[in-house]
Amino acid sequence: MAAAMAQRVLALAAEEGPERLQEALQGLGEGELGDMVTKQALRGRETAALLRGIFRGSPCSQPSGVLRRLQVYKHCVPLVESGDLHLSKASEIIGLLMLEVRQLPGHALAELATLFVDVIKGGSLSNGKSLELFSTVLTALASSKESLAYGKGELNGEEFKKQLINTLCSSKWDPQSVIHLANMFRDIPLSGEELQFVVEKVLRMFSKLDLQEIPPLVYQLLLLSAKGSKKTVLEGIIGFFNQLDKRQKEEQRVPQSMDLEVATVPLDQLRHVEGTVILHIISVINLDQDLGEELIKHLKTEQQKDPGKALCPFSVALLLSVAVKHRLQEQIFDFLKTSITRSCKDLQFLQASKFLRDLFPQQYDITAVILEVVKNSAFGWDYVTQGLVDLGFSLMESYEPKKPFGGKAAETNCGLSKAPAQQACRLGASILLETFKVHEPIRSDVLEQVLNRVLTKAASPVSHFIDLLSNIVVSAPLVLQNSSSRVTETFDNLSFLPIDTVQGLLRAVQPLLKVSMSVRDSLILVLQKAIFSRQLDARKAAVAGFLLLLRNFKILGSLTSSQCSQAIGATQVQADVHACYNSAANEAFCLEILGSLRRCLSQQADVRLMLYEGFYDVLRRNSQLASSIMETLLSQIKQYYLPQPDLLPPLKLEGCIMAQGDQIFLQEPLAHLLCCIQHCLAWYKSTVRLCQGAEDDEEEEEDVGFEQNFEEMLESVTRRMIKSELEDFELDKSADFSLSSGVGVKNNIYAIQVMGICEVLIEYNFNIGNFSKNKFEDVLGLFTCYNKLSEILREKAGKNKSALGNKTARSFLSMGFVSTLLTALFRDNAQSHEESLVVLRSNTEFLRYAVSVALQKVQQLEETGQTDGPDGQNPEKMFQNLCKITRVLLWRYTSIPTVVEESGKKKGKSISLLCLEGCLRIFNTVQQLYAARIPQFLQALDITDGDAEEADINVTEKAAFQIRQFQRSLVNQFSGAEDDFNSKETQLLVTVLSTLSKLLDPTSQQFLQFLTWTVKICKENALEDISCCKGLLTLLFSLHVLYKSPVSLLRELAQDIHACLGDIDQDIEVESRSHFAIVNAKTAAPTVCLLVLGQADKVLEEVDWLIKKLTSLGSDTSDSSQASNQTQALEKGIILQLGTLLTVFHELVQTALPAGSCVDTLLRSLSKTYTILTSLIKHYIQACRSTSNTIPGRLEKLVKLSGSHLTPQCYSFITYVQNIHSESLSFVEEKKKKKKEDEAAAVSTVMAKVLRDTKPIPNLIFAIEQYEKFLIHLSKKSKVNLMQYMKLSTSRDFRINASMLDSVLQEHNTEDAENEPDNDQSTTAEQPDENQEPKKKRRRKK
């Protein structure tokens, strides 16, 4: 039946006139029509023709035609969605229906659209095909001008469409149809408001979808964002993934989550989805640049409010991927770099203040976020890697270390560098290293860039790049093999690089030399050329390279590393895996290098020096080279050694210098040569001789030959050096030591060499002496010779300061020996050693010398991270020596107080004082270089429980124990007689205490006890020593800020200063409420006053920072109770801080401060205070605009306090300042009359000083008036009269005193009197015109 009817309709449709067709269709019921269409569609034959026929027979001019059309539409939509039709058939039907939509009248469109909304609500969309039709219906509806019935009223087409979209977005969507709906909305013209509706609805659906469906939906949203709402789209996407990441992290932290149904997505699936979404965003940004701009703009504003929300791992990865597009790269990198330094600064700011930490318990650390991006990028995010690499290099270059003054920066070893710039630079290196580990394709590129920078930045420090290179090689030693050609190219430039860079570079690539013979051979060629270069640096580079090779190419039979005293670094261990020992080749190779190095022994002193310093390390790592090296050293020393037993001196010093024209310089560093021999010999005897055991005899004899030779020679040199007088070296008190003449230079070189030789022999004889009395007498004899020369040099330097402001020459004693010597001198209680040690202990000069050398060594370690001599570059050995030295110095200082010692001393610092200074330096050095090993260090100092487990070490307890010892000493200083007070020692003690206090945990009981003790000391001791007072108060403040805000402390100090110095109004007597005895007539001004103002400035900075945070929180429109709670806490904190600060300034402004720095600083601080008060008022004006909030009562109190306790006193203080200056001017005027010409200079300096000191006054007045101006604004906005607390200011007449003006005008200085007010007006010219009015009136009166 239906089929026959369909055929009939098709036949009639082919006729000319539509009348018969209309008749036929008229007779069909709704059900029959539908059956016919369905059957025809399912058969798949001529469906389109049938539909065209039906439409032809249903003209829109007739109501029945419209109705029939609607029936077709209503029937076809479910048919298409049913999924029974072939896709092409469904498309054909929808296409036809879309064409006919425009014909329908408005009410029919409205009915159809409502039908669609119901279908969507019902969730019966399966393939979303019919939605193409819905978009056409809505578009047509929007352009319909008819009035359509909606509910009880009527709407036009546009409004009807808006209502439908509203209904649609408010209803429930089937998760499966979200993508189709998002796609549909792209084809509908939407107003901004409608678009926002739609976008927000789609974003809400994210959480209901399966994760795999998110990327296509995001893509649809991004395409939709071309119409607008870009910010909402980006914010929604970033927020969604940020939440997912957070949840993932939580679950990793708490693995067994109780809510099983909430168990989230597997990590790799989440990362792959995020990666796809990032790719979609990039592809859309390529088409729509505005989206990229919007992304950066959105993140910038978001970052001001909540950096954790703006820069999460997802958004950072997105930014870095977008950065590859060069148009946006600079913008993005600038934004990321400022965010990184700001985050580092904020963290630093928060860590320094307990008050701020309480307000911001959660701290955001961007470095962790960026490193997480690197970790996430391992999931196939290749498009992020280029951005990461570029960012890493950009950070390393923007914040590279500055060139240090003198010597190498030790910051590379620093466990914790504090400056934000250093942290940013280190973050750059970490990004590159981690990216290098994760992504293989970019490895050669990173390596290439690092090597390029090492070569091209030779002038600036490249230590950070060399460290990175070293870490890269450790993480993947074989990666260098693929880039070996690049490394050999780098070697060609070695001779042009600074020596530090060369050494670092060679150390970094050293594992490659073991793996690749070709690289090693090319390096040797370069080094052999460099040995004969004209440039000194190139020769030094060659020596450095050869020594490195000798250390690392072991000959079979050399001692294993466990027998060596230095643990070999990770680079070595990793490279050893690939090392294939070929004993014969290595031996031939090493001997060839030694041959090349022997030639260096005839070159400049600097080159020889490097060799002498390097031989010991080579021996220790490659013991089979011992005999060759010892023979070389023997033949070298024989050139200068005089074997005749009676000849004095025993060494030819004239052979060590060389004259060139009238210049004389050192040719052979003889003392270094002897030093090298002494260390090599000691090592040889202690290690090789023990291990040789039953070797064959010929070799034994040959070895014994040089060993015996050396021993006899050193013995002979020792004996004759003790006998020699200074005259034998042509040095005595009358000799010339000025550096301007040739003779003087020669004598200086001789003196330093002789002193060095004495030191080397002291170490040698002490070590071989085995506590024999005779050897110790020899040691003293040598020291006498050393000391005489040292005295002469010191004396000459004292007379001739300009030429020789020199420090003492660097000591030749090794760090290891210094620790042994100190332990023997001060802590050795063995009965058998008593008799011999008394020889050394009885010589105070020798004891002082031993301690001062220890001090020098520690200083060198602190400044450069290493010391001279064997093991000087071995951090482990240095650490052990530091522990030993500290134990001795601590014991010596605490057991023999300075007071006891000083009674018998002649000149120079006492030994106890030197010990204290040593302790201070060591505490600093350990915190700087060995931060991670502080527990072991403190453990080593505590002799009582040497066996405690490493894990049990409580740093705070151990540090508190040390602190108590120094507290006792400080109390003794204060409680002793006044004559016994030692200012230098007190300062050192205070500094030691503040250094140790950094090790205490601020939340611990010990910290609180120490703070209480410090407060007590400051309250009870009327210290008159300025520098000690400064040290103690600085310590007090630094402790107090870690416990709570120091404002109440500042108020008490300010009251003390006021009581001490008196009031600006001399008739008023200030009641004496002395809180702190440390504030007295000598220290109150400027010392305490400036410290208090400095601390107040820090508090003001904190408040300023808080107000900025408050403003950014205020601009956050998300209305959550948590945000408002935080806002209230911030407001309360800010107002309380400012209120107490006002009382501090209230005291200081009334104090009769002496002219100068105190007045100047106070005026500047007051200006700052008013500026900050103004910014707080601006915040409340803004808050009143955005919400109808009234202002809190606290703020009203603060304004009242400023009006009653500060502003009037500021004006009085300004008058007081001017009075002081006018007095000094009139005093100068009188002088000027007496002695006109002589005093001209003095007058001009006083005038200049007065002008300089009064400069801050106009700024202060401007700040006060700005504050009052914004108060008026706030009063209007909040309907609260805040100006009732403000007295009318006399700001304009403070300069001109009417009664005085007449008399002054009659004198000749009229110009001066008029210029000053004018100057002032110009400074405050920014003020509104009405403020100028009073002046004009005043002038008219005149």
Side-chain angles (χ1 to χ4, degrees), residues 1120-1140:
S1120 69
S1121 59
Q1122 191 187 350
S1124 67
N1125 286 347
Q1126 192 178 10
T1127 308
Q1128 281 176 5
L1130 282 183
E1131 288 177 350
K1132 182 180 174 183
I1134 290 169
I1135 292 174
L1136 287 176
Q1137 290 291 82
L1138 281 174
T1140 321

Side-chain angles (χ1 to χ4, degrees), residues 36 40 83 110 243 293 336 388 591 732 840 864 931 971 1079:
M36 178 175 73
Q40 193 73 4
Q243 281 306 111
E293 303 278 0
L336 282 173
L388 280 169
L591 292 173
D732 57 20
L840 298 177
T864 64
V971 170
V1079 183

Side-chain angles (χ1 to χ4, degrees), residues 120 159 251 439 500 534 710 930 1045 1048 1113 1334:
I120 293 167
E159 288 166 347
E251 280 184 18
H439 298 278
D500 279 345
R534 292 175 125 181
F710 276 135
Y930 299 101
S1045 172
S1048 50
L1113 274 176

Side-chain angles (χ1 to χ4, degrees), residues 263-279:
T264 44
V265 209
L267 182 68
D268 55 342
Q269 193 186 345
L270 173 62
R271 296 285 171 254
H272 288 308
V273 166
E274 286 178 338
T276 315
V277 168
I278 289 174
L279 268 179

Side-chain angles (χ1 to χ4, degrees), residues 632-865:
T632 306
L633 290 172
L634 188 58
S635 63
Q636 187 71 4
I637 190 74
K638 277 185 173 168
Q639 298 173 35
Y640 307 97
Y641 173 64
L642 302 165
Q644 297 87 329
D646 302 329
L647 264 184
L648 298 179
L651 297 160
K652 281 191 287 192
L653 285 180
E654 56 276 10
C656 300
I657 55 169
M658 183 172 143
Q660 211 172 45
D662 55 351
Q663 279 192 318
I664 289 180
F665 46 85
L666 181 67
Q667 176 68 18
E668 174 67 74
L670 194 54
H672 283 90
L673 172 57
L674 260 184
C675 188
C676 175
I677 289 172
Q678 190 264 116
H679 289 308
C680 290
L681 187 62
W683 181 84
Y684 183 79
K685 280 159 71 176
S686 66
T687 316
V688 180
R689 308 281 292 128
L690 295 175
C691 299
Q692 264 175 355
E695 297 253 330
D696 69 16
D697 297 333
E698 296 162 41
E699 196 181 316
E700 192 77 12
E701 278 169 28
E702 177 198 318
D703 286 359
V704 169
F706 70 70
E707 194 182 326
Q708 203 172 343
N709 257 331
F710 276 135
E711 285 180 346
E712 286 169 4
M713 188 186 294
L714 288 167
E715 183 60 44
S716 164
V717 172
T718 301
R719 201 177 56 253
R720 289 189 275 162
M721 283 297 283
I722 294 169
K723 284 184 191 166
S724 302
E725 294 294 327
L726 292 183
E727 286 78 4
D728 297 328
F729 301 107
E730 302 170 24
L731 302 168
D732 57 20
K733 285 201 171 181
S734 57
D736 173 15
F737 285 96
S738 70
L739 291 177
S740 49
S741 67
V743 179
V745 172
K746 184 194 78 167
N747 286 343
N748 265 304
I749 292 174
Y750 277 6
I752 286 166
Q753 290 305 313
V754 172
M755 284 162 72
I757 291 164
C758 288
E759 286 196 301
V760 172
L761 293 171
I762 286 174
E763 182 166 342
Y764 173 73
N765 283 292
F766 188 96
N767 284 340
I768 64 160
N770 197 12
F771 293 95
S772 89
K773 191 172 180 184
N774 294 344
K775 281 294 175 200
F776 283 2
E777 280 166 352
D778 287 352
V779 167
L780 265 193
L782 289 163
F783 173 68
T784 313
C785 175
Y786 170 91
N787 205 31
K788 278 184 202 162
L789 264 177
S790 161
E791 290 286 316
I792 291 174
L793 281 180
R794 207 174 299 138
E795 206 174 296
K796 299 281 179 187
K799 284 181 193 165
N800 190 353
K801 276 196 176 138
S802 58
L804 262 178
N806 74 338
K807 297 182 190 163
T808 35
R810 204 174 260 181
S811 171
F812 279 79
L813 303 185
S814 66
M815 185 78 158
F817 173 66
V818 171
S819 66
T820 311
L821 177 65
L822 285 177
T823 312
L825 289 177
F826 296 123
R827 301 288 286 137
D828 191 332
N829 301 323
Q831 204 63 47
S832 53
H833 300 166
E834 181 73 34
E835 188 189 352
S836 51
L837 280 171
V838 90
V839 175
L840 298 177
R841 287 173 177 168
S842 56
N843 187 323
T844 321
E845 283 303 315
F846 184 69
L847 298 179
R848 181 175 296 134
Y849 158 75
V851 177
S852 52
V853 170
L855 213 64
Q856 190 195 83
K857 290 282 170 194
V858 174
Q859 184 174 356
Q860 192 189 359
L861 185 64
E862 184 182 18
E863 285 165 5
T864 64

